Amino acid sequence: QINKHSSQSHYFLGRCYANLNRAHEAFRSYRLAVDKAEANADTWCSIGVLYQQQNQPLDALQAYICSAQLDKYHVAAWTNLGILYESHSQLHDALKCYLNATKEQGIKADSAIVNRIKFLETQLPNIQHVNGNSILPSLEEAWNHSVQTDNKNMKQNSQSSNNSNSTLASSTPNNNNSNNNMAPNEHFLSNKRQ
């Protein structure tokens, strides 16, 4: 029996659904976890993983950024964000993410991440830094856009909080196995801090 009032219960249920490849149910559980206690880096990181699995890189990026902003030393968020950037050939941004993933761990850092950092550091001098054809915004652009959006949303929310109760949008990530009518890139991230 799940505790309906516990954000952690919904988060773990979402992880279970994600492991069973039931994206729609996982996303719904994560949404409930965010509704109960939105400031949880683990939940936002898991949402990012779910979006990445559904081939929605911009949504995944936003979720990972949100996770890292909630916990600037969140190893999984930074690592997954690095993998996302690397999969889109944005190696400079990937390296920055991997470095952030190891920042607080020092000597205890995951050897796979450390090896990836070493590899990228040796290869990047031979690769030109080009972001012109990139699908994803740079790390700095994504980080700054998220902060600006959050500040704008907080101002809007403070103005409208006396008039209505805001909730997260009810859309889910792409799920080819479900019969929902939601657009693939509609998501609740743009309304996350309400």
Side-chain angles (χ1 to χ4, degrees), residues 147-188:
V147 170
Q148 290 171 358
T149 301
D150 289 346
N151 288 338
K152 182 180 174 185
N153 285 341
M154 284 191 294
K155 286 180 185 176
Q156 289 174 347
N157 290 341
S158 66
Q159 292 171 354
S160 65
S161 64
N162 293 332
N163 298 334
S164 66
N165 290 330
S166 300
T167 59
L168 298 174
S170 61
S171 55
T172 61
N174 278 342
N175 185 348
N176 295 332
N177 298 328
S178 68
N179 292 324
N180 62 42
N181 295 324
M182 297 167 218
N185 289 322
E186 285 185 73
H187 52 81
F188 67 90

Side-chain angles (χ1 to χ4, degrees), residues 85-191:
Y85 274 121
E86 195 168 357
S87 72
H88 287 87
S89 301
Q90 291 176 245
L91 303 182
H92 289 85
D93 289 314
L95 177 60
K96 291 174 190 175
C97 293
Y98 294 143
L99 289 169
N100 279 320
T102 61
K103 204 177 257 185
E104 196 60 17
Q105 296 178 321
I107 201 164
K108 295 179 184 179
D110 184 310
S111 62
I113 298 172
V114 172
N115 290 336
R116 199 70 202 147
I117 289 169
K118 289 177 184 175
F119 174 77
L120 288 174
E121 287 175 335
T122 61
Q123 296 301 311
L124 283 177
N126 304 324
I127 300 171
Q128 288 188 9
H129 182 72
V130 178
N131 246 13
N133 296 331
S134 302
I135 291 175
L136 301 174
S138 72
L139 178 60
E140 289 80 12
E141 291 169 336
W143 189 274
N144 291 334
H145 176 73
S146 180
V147 170
Q148 290 171 358
T149 301
D150 289 346
N151 288 338
K152 182 180 174 185
N153 285 341
M154 284 191 294
K155 286 180 185 176
Q156 289 174 347
N157 290 341
S158 66
Q159 292 171 354
S160 65
S161 64
N162 293 332
N163 298 334
S164 66
N165 290 330
S166 300
T167 59
L168 298 174
S170 61
S171 55
T172 61
N174 278 342
N175 185 348
N176 295 332
N177 298 328
S178 68
N179 292 324
N180 62 42
N181 295 324
M182 297 167 218
N185 289 322
E186 285 185 73
H187 52 81
F188 67 90
L189 294 172
S190 63
N191 298 323

